Amino acid sequence: MTETFQRGLSANSPDERDVLRPLRFAEAPDPEVSFAPIPDFVVDVDVPAATERNKTPPDGVLPLLFDYQFFAGRSHADHFHRQIVDTANQAGANAISQISIPFDPARQSVQLHHLVRTRDGVVETLNDSVRLEFVRPDSGRETGMFSGQVTALLRVPGMRAGDRLELAYTIRDQSPVTGHRYTLAISYADQMVLYDQVHVRSSWPRGPLNFSGHGGAPEVSETYEDGRTILSYGPGPVEFTEPDYLTPPWRYPYPVWVGTQYENWHEVAEWAAELFQPVSDPDVDALAQTIMQAHPDEDERIMAALRHLQSEIDYFAIMLGEGGYRPLHPAETLRFSEGDCKAKTLLLISLLHAMGIEAEAALVSTTTGRGLDVLPPTPQVFDHVIVTLARGNRRYWLDPTGTPQHGDLRDQQPLAWGYALIANDNSYALTQVERPLDRVPFLDIEERFSIASADRDDHRAVLRTEWVYRTAMADLMRAAVDFNGEDTVLAGINSFYAARFADMNPIGDATLEEDPESGHLVLSAEYQVELFDFSAEDAPEPTYVFVAHGPSRQIVMAPLENREAPLAMPYPYDVRHRIVINLPEGAEGWIPDSEEALEYAADLTVENDVFELMDERHYDAEQTVLTARTRVMSPEILPEHFTRVGNDLQTADQLAFIVLGEHINVAMDPGRTRGLVTPSAPPIIPGMAAATR
């Protein structure tokens, strides 16, 4: 779905024959590039002189003018580009001697207007001497997506330091699926901020028109000419301030502007609904019958169909031409056992329909989902599609491209999409989609140490550990097992513990098993270990440090001082770690008294609007217990919470720990400490992990 709605505009009702056509075998057309005069809709802009803002570029290129003009026509949309750059040295001249123009030849053509070089006041047109080549980037293997995009590579001969180069061209965009209700999205941070002067102009037919700017996008003026609406900015500079690190994408840290001919979300929902009508097909019906025979309960059938899509249909997208918008026929998806989010969504909807279960597509954004409500209505703001259905009083959100999900239907929790648009004729607004917080952690770690002896030189212990993965964390672990193999995953846990001790030997084999009652995934292992002794040589007792390496306190990934924008949090995140230490006979003196306990590690309870931190310790003559938990409850920290959050973090150690034995003559070796505190469950921040496709 990545391409489907990033460029999606509008659609006429698709002909059934188009839906059935096997788009997988669409031929890639030859790129169309020609020379043509500048279109009549283009308004001429004077060439600016270089300013102090752009006098000493590090790469030798002085960008002077970026002129972009858009025309929404009846049968196509035109995108006019004109760029003028100066060169300060030979490095700059070499940099602009090759110019790339990417486009989709299945629906776009390129018209070159002129390529002009100015040298020592002499103007020379290079239209006849420029070399044109085509490059088809093939990243399908790495990305699981073949776009069919072509790059027109213009090679300009003989560029020298001090030359000025001016290029003007138009990309004509035609698509039978998107129709003729257009959307224009402009990201000012891409390259416009580099230019001294920027001119943006868009021409629209009179009628419904919604537009808005965010992230500091410059304001546009609205005028009317010859029965058309003209929106324009400049010529003028685009001022840009680098945003605070990890500002949530739904807060629009970069300047963007969106204009659309869609009047409301209902029109967008109707457009999408036409593309995702359930399809009747013998292959789909056969699979539906197989599922129904194996699962008498409807909820079980839904989950069986979802798991089949998630585990048996690989992700791969054919985005060539209409494939960027229209889903493949479900029979094609089944035949090749692969498809993108559009194809998988249509197949799941069709499967459920064949079983008498109503379901619909829902458009979502993997990045800006929580900020969709401030944007004008358009398909272009979505980059993913999933399936939604209502059962009783509850609505479920199912992602057929996601990690295989276990548990029953009521156990399924949606990702934190923020907002979704349900694709049906009765959808008039965005629907809020938030993941409720679970009562139990996603990951529970328990480590039980039985120390062999209180002897000063005997550091042996037996460690029995159990990791309980729940809900989404369990699904991720299952996916890791499917991809890497169970042996690799179990070898990884052995390597993790080997790095934490002076010596480690497994006792038996580690195991990874499903809990049939709860549906949780349980990893169990047992080791003979030698504990690190951190005491000084003349200390009467050893010093042992036990660290709760699971619940990370590194959840605030950027400084809050002098910060102005909200900060993204790893949400949802909930990890608990329990360490039980069985003390040997004669180790009564290892237990810290109240003053020592407060000095080395005190209990902790922190609760604010963003997260909860908890450390609890229990000491007695036979057993010491540490329980630590980190729970994130909000996807972001707002500036009004910075002070409280900062103060709370200052009161907490980076990791919860317990010190047993000698507390005075201690020698904390950095190398040993580094291995001891290596986190096992680091948080994930949005934008630092791959988005769901």
Side-chain angles (χ1 to χ4, degrees):
M1 178 71 189
T2 304
E3 291 289 324
T4 303
F5 294 115
Q6 285 183 343
R7 298 201 198 101
L9 306 178
S10 172
N12 300 324
S13 299
D15 186 80
E16 180 67 15
R17 291 168 298 177
D18 291 335
V19 175
L20 297 177
R21 188 169 69 242
L23 298 175
R24 176 183 304 277
F25 303 112
E27 295 184 3
D30 292 331
E32 183 181 342
V33 178
S34 60
F35 280 95
I38 292 177
D40 293 337
F41 71 85
V42 174
V43 174
D44 190 38
V45 177
D46 292 337
V47 180
T51 66
E52 293 296 329
R53 183 173 182 263
N54 201 356
K55 278 292 183 72
T56 57
D59 58 357
V61 178
L62 294 82
L64 296 181
L65 175 65
F66 187 99
D67 183 11
Y68 170 71
Q69 301 185 40
F70 170 82
F71 184 88
R74 289 188 174 183
S75 60
H76 59 267
D78 284 340
H79 305 262
F80 171 79
H81 298 259
R82 179 184 176 217
Q83 288 122 43
I84 301 176
V85 296
D86 280 350
T87 58
N89 51 41
Q90 191 57 43
N94 293 340
I96 66 171
S97 64
Q98 295 190 30
I99 304 169
S100 299
I101 304 176
F103 67 103
D104 181 353
R107 62 184 183 85
Q108 293 177 330
S109 60
V110 178
Q111 296 178 342
L112 297 174
H113 305 310
H114 60 247
L115 188 66
V116 175
R117 177 173 61 204
T118 302
R119 177 180 295 171
D120 299 328
V122 178
V123 179
E124 179 184 6
T125 300
L126 304 178
N127 289 8
D128 295 332
S129 58
V130 66
R131 295 181 60 183
L132 174 62
E133 299 176 359
F134 296 105
V135 179
R136 288 185 181 269
D138 183 11
S139 59
R141 293 182 179 180
E142 293 77 20
T143 64
M145 182 183 301
F146 176 72
S147 68
Q149 187 180 76
V150 167
T151 296
L153 185 64
L154 305 180
R155 300 177 61 186
V156 186
M159 293 298 297
R160 297 290 180 264
D163 286 352
R164 168 174 292 180
L165 190 66
E166 176 178 338
L167 170 66
Y169 64 92
T170 295
I171 295 179
R172 173 157 292 182
D173 197 332
Q174 297 172 303
S175 174
V177 178
T178 56
H180 314 301
R181 197 175 344 184
Y182 298 105
T183 293
L184 177 63
I186 298 174
S187 174
Y188 285 91
D190 284 346
Q191 52 178 316
M192 295 188 192
V193 295
L194 303 176
Y195 285 79
D196 266 1
Q197 300 290 307
V198 171
H199 176 245
V200 176
R201 186 177 189 269
S202 58
S203 175
W204 308 79
R206 292 296 295 271
L209 183 60
N210 288 297
F211 59 91
S212 63
H214 304 274
E219 293 187 11
V220 300
S221 62
E222 183 175 3
T223 58
Y224 305 95
E225 298 178 10
D226 299 327
R228 298 181 66 87
T229 301
I230 308 298
L231 304 176
S232 60
Y233 167 77
V238 174
E239 301 296 338
F240 172 68
T241 302
E242 190 69 30
D244 289 340
Y245 177 59
L246 287 180
T247 298
W250 55 86
R251 295 288 180 174
Y252 302 106
Y254 299 97
V256 295
W257 183 91
V258 180
T260 173
Q261 290 179 284
Y262 282 91
E263 192 169 0
N264 50 55
W265 288 113
H266 178 60
E267 293 179 350
V268 181
E270 287 184 314
W271 171 85
E274 293 287 351
L275 296 174
F276 293 98
Q277 293 299 312
V279 176
S280 296
D281 180 84
D283 293 339
V284 175
D285 293 342
L287 179 56
Q289 287 296 323
T290 300
I291 293 174
M292 288 191 291
Q293 291 173 4
H295 303 279
D297 181 75
E298 273 200 353
D299 286 2
E300 293 178 359
R301 292 172 178 175
I302 294 170
M303 288 306 302
L306 175 64
R307 289 175 186 137
H308 183 89
L309 268 293
Q310 292 173 333
S311 59
E312 301 299 326
I313 307 295
D314 295 332
Y315 183 93
F316 191 80
I318 300 292
M319 315 304 294
L320 179 63
E322 294 184 19
Y325 302 90
R326 193 188 301 283
L328 282 176
H329 190 281
E332 291 291 300
T333 306
L334 285 174
R335 179 184 177 188
F336 291 95
S337 297
E338 64 182 24
D340 62 4
C341 63
K342 304 183 303 298
K344 287 192 172 193
T345 289
L346 182 57
L347 174 54
L348 182 54
I349 290 173
S350 301
L351 261 179
L352 296 176
H353 180 76
M355 294 187 285
I357 301 170
E358 293 187 6
E360 299 159 313
L363 315 184
V364 297
S365 171
T366 59
T367 55
T368 59
R370 291 188 179 88
L372 292 180
D373 59 325
V374 303
L375 295 178
T378 169
Q380 189 168 347
V381 298
F382 302 103
D383 63 1
H384 191 47
V385 62
I386 59 175
V387 175
T388 183
L389 53 86
R391 306 286 289 169
N393 296 324
R394 182 174 174 183
R395 177 165 291 280
Y396 296 92
W397 309 88
L398 310 176
D399 187 354
T401 67
T403 302
Q405 294 171 275
H406 287 241
D408 59 31
L409 182 62
R410 296 185 180 276
D411 293 330
Q412 305 310 305
Q413 298 287 356
L415 293 177
W417 299 114
Y419 288 96
L421 181 66
I422 301 175
N424 64 39
D425 294 341
N426 298 317
S427 185
Y428 288 87
L430 298 170
T431 300
Q432 195 163 10
V433 185
E434 286 294 349
R435 175 174 180 146
L437 293 172
D438 294 338
R439 290 176 295 177
V440 293
F442 304 132
L443 173 60
D444 246 328
I445 302 172
E446 180 168 291
E447 295 173 336
R448 288 183 169 269
F449 292 88
S450 296
I451 300 178
S453 168
D455 190 300
R456 174 70 178 76
D457 298 319
D458 186 357
H459 310 304
R460 292 173 302 139
V462 172
L463 165 62
R464 297 177 178 87
T465 183
E466 183 177 88
W467 297 46
V468 179
Y469 299 88
R470 299 186 180 94
T471 61
M473 188 73 80
D475 292 336
L476 289 173
M477 176 56 75
R478 293 184 185 98
V481 171
D482 290 342
F483 189 78
N484 299 306
E486 184 172 316
D487 291 344
T488 301
V489 172
L490 295 178
I493 199 70
N494 290 340
S495 298
F496 173 79
Y497 278 112
R500 303 185 69 84
F501 301 102
D503 190 29
M504 185 278 284
N505 292 292
I507 301 174
D509 295 328
T511 62
L512 190 63
E513 298 178 344
E514 294 275 355
D515 185 333
E517 294 186 3
S518 64
H520 304 153
L521 196 62
V522 181
L523 187 155
S524 302
E526 185 173 2
Y527 306 102
Q528 178 73 49
V529 301
E530 182 176 350
L531 303 174
F532 283 128
D533 179 11
F534 291 97
S535 65
E537 292 184 0
D538 58 346
E541 297 174 337
T543 300
Y544 299 132
V545 180
F546 300 87
V547 176
H549 49 79
S552 174
R553 301 286 167 76
Q554 299 297 316
I555 52 176
V556 179
M557 308 284 282
L560 300 178
E561 296 82 7
N562 302 317
R563 188 182 181 90
E564 297 180 355
L567 173 65
M569 291 289 286
Y571 174 84
Y573 178 87
D574 192 349
V575 177
R576 180 170 55 193
H577 193 158
R578 185 169 184 260
I579 299 175
V580 179
I581 304 140
N582 296 312
L583 301 179
E585 188 174 331
E588 294 81 3
W590 292 6
I591 301 173
D593 58 29
S594 57
E595 292 184 1
E596 289 175 327
L598 289 174
E599 179 182 355
Y600 280 89
D603 287 352
L604 170 72
T605 299
V606 170
E607 296 181 12
N608 55 49
D609 294 327
V610 183
F611 56 78
E612 294 178 355
L613 307 177
M614 184 271 290
D615 297 343
E616 290 182 350
R617 295 167 178 81
H618 170 75
Y619 301 93
D620 63 34
E622 297 179 351
Q623 192 177 78
T624 296
V625 180
L626 166 65
T627 302
R629 184 176 184 179
T630 298
R631 187 181 191 218
V632 178
M633 300 178 295
S634 173
E636 64 183 4
I637 309 174
L638 299 178
E640 55 263 34
H641 299 150
F642 286 173
T643 300
R644 170 69 188 276
V645 166
N647 291 338
D648 285 343
L649 288 174
Q650 289 181 2
T651 66
D653 293 308
Q654 292 186 2
L655 291 168
F657 62 94
I658 273 183
V659 179
L660 295 178
E662 178 64 44
H663 286 74
I664 298 176
N665 296 322
V666 178
M668 299 299 288
D669 179 81
R672 294 181 176 183
T673 304
R674 190 177 302 113
L676 193 67
V677 301
T678 300
S680 57
I684 298 175
I685 297 290
M688 297 177 65
T692 303
R693 293 176 296 191

